[in-house]
Amino acid sequence: MKTFKKVYIEITSVCNLACSFCPQTARQAKFMNTETFSAILDEIKPHTSHIYLHVKGEPLLHPRIHELLDAAHDKGFKVNITTNGTLIRKAGPKLLGKPALRQMNFSLHSFDGHEGSEDRDGYLGQIISFAKEAAAQGVFISFRLWNLTPDNLTNLQRNRNRETLSVLESAFGLDYRIEEKIVPGSSVKIADRIFLNQDHEFQWPSLTAPEDDGQGFCHALRSQAAILVDGTVVPCCLDGEGVINLGNVNETPFSDIVEGERANRLFYGFSRREAVEELCRRCGYRQRFG
């Protein structure tokens, strides 16, 4: 039986931002109900004990996220949530004190990635306030700035990042500039349980992207799998449009899906360092694994 470090469950395909780095989904806008979520947890229980509540969409938009966290705890799961952070003031009380919540990832690059963002200090202040309270309760916090480019940013973006980092440095009483401590692709600890992670911007895989020679490796269906809001199972969190549709967990047991013919072709293909799916051959992120 395949086991995974994590399974992504997309609890909504809806997002409140339109960021330049994140292609808008063509799929139907939908929220997963609590009954479906609970049934999915039962399906994946033999395969993992960690779930991430996103693929596309903004999870803090889900009106019953507190109930989803309760269901996860009841069934023995630990939960990571990745969010743009814009809704944390309203959603924060639904998250604090939930024993299932293991980690919150805040995509701080969303502020500059969304045209029309205003009040950087206010945006960051609400996130920092939540982060300090959550960390005191044992939750890990990852602040993400995933907007580096091969030429190490334009002057404009470098200055914007400096504004963000300056706010963090002040809020956590740092006596150094974060850029001096961090290596792209890694994290620096800025407080107990609170980290800043900086990395290069990646391109979401697309069937319109250039195709490579298909050689290389990926952790899809090895360390992770993902379930879209309509129940479609895909091999990784970057297949945001469900191109590699392995089956639907609302119709077929998850265990059967991840051991199905298409899933195994992909899995054993990567064992040979060969991308058998067209989308994988057009995925720049895969190239990070050599």
Side-chain angles (χ1 to χ4, degrees):
M1 177 181 290
K2 290 187 178 77
T3 57
F4 306 108
K5 181 179 179 182
K6 55 202 171 189
V7 170
Y8 293 82
I9 303 176
E10 182 187 65
I11 58 175
T12 179
S13 56
V14 180
C15 189
N16 61 322
L17 299 185
C19 295
S20 59
F21 55 81
C22 186
Q24 299 300 296
T25 181
R27 294 182 288 118
Q28 179 183 4
K30 187 173 183 178
F31 289 82
M32 185 177 290
N33 64 46
T34 53
E35 293 78 13
T36 298
F37 181 78
S38 182
I40 287 174
L41 294 183
D42 291 335
E43 288 284 331
I44 67 173
K45 183 61 179 173
H47 300 270
T48 192
S49 57
H50 287 80
I51 57 175
Y52 284 54
L53 300 187
H54 74 284
V55 176
K56 288 289 190 71
E58 169 49 56
L60 299 193
L61 278 172
H62 200 293
R64 299 189 178 277
I65 192 168
H66 53 300
E67 295 179 8
L68 304 186
L69 288 170
D70 289 340
H73 175 64
D74 290 343
K75 295 177 185 292
F77 288 91
K78 288 297 184 181
V79 179
N80 284 30
I81 296 175
T82 298
T83 173
N84 60 44
T86 56
L87 305 174
I88 195 62
R89 183 180 64 82
K90 181 178 180 180
K94 297 180 179 181
L95 309 177
L96 290 170
K98 295 298 185 184
L101 185 60
R102 175 188 174 272
Q103 180 166 319
M104 291 288 295
N105 304 316
F106 289 96
S107 299
L108 302 186
H109 47 280
S110 301
F111 183 85
D112 291 313
H114 176 72
E115 185 176 351
S117 292
E118 298 178 347
D119 189 14
R120 186 187 307 272
D121 287 349
Y123 164 75
L124 292 172
Q126 292 178 5
I127 291 173
I128 291 167
S129 177
F130 171 87
K132 289 181 175 180
E133 188 169 358
Q137 296 180 1
V139 178
F140 289 99
I141 303 293
S142 175
F143 296 134
R144 294 176 170 180
L145 274 178
W146 287 6
N147 59 6
L148 298 179
T149 58
D151 59 358
N152 201 25
L153 305 177
T154 63
N155 285 334
L156 174 60
Q157 189 55 58
R158 189 179 299 111
N159 291 338
R160 287 172 170 172
N161 278 3
R162 173 92 294 273
E163 291 178 31
T164 293
L165 295 176
S166 178
V167 172
L168 294 175
E169 290 159 3
S170 176
F172 293 97
L174 304 185
D175 59 358
Y176 58 86
R177 288 166 69 97
I178 290 174
E179 298 100 314
E180 299 169 357
K181 300 281 188 179
I182 195 166
V183 175
S186 66
S187 297
V188 60
K189 184 176 181 179
I190 60 177
D192 186 35
R193 296 182 179 269
I194 301 178
F195 300 82
L196 186 285
N197 178 278
Q198 204 159 15
D199 208 341
H200 290 87
E201 181 178 330
F202 67 87
Q203 298 295 318
W204 285 80
S206 167
L207 292 178
T208 62
E211 187 170 352
D212 62 25
D213 62 8
Q215 300 301 303
F217 180 75
C218 181
H219 293 281
L221 291 181
R222 281 185 178 355
S223 68
Q224 63 167 283
I227 302 171
L228 303 182
V229 69
D230 66 352
T232 299
V233 178
V234 292
C236 77
C237 64
L238 294 182
D239 187 1
E241 293 304 293
V243 174
I244 307 175
N245 183 342
L246 302 176
N248 193 294
V249 74
N250 296 321
E251 302 165 358
T252 305
F254 182 80
S255 296
D256 292 349
I257 292 173
V258 297
E259 293 292 354
E261 180 180 355
R262 189 173 187 181
N264 281 332
R265 282 186 66 248
L266 183 147
F267 181 92
Y268 291 113
F270 281 126
S271 296
R272 303 188 302 271
R273 303 187 65 79
E274 175 188 349
V276 301
E277 290 281 351
E278 180 182 0
L279 186 69
C280 299
R281 296 192 296 272
R282 298 177 185 272
C283 177
Y285 198 85
R286 192 193 87 246
Q287 298 168 1
R288 299 187 179 197
F289 305 119

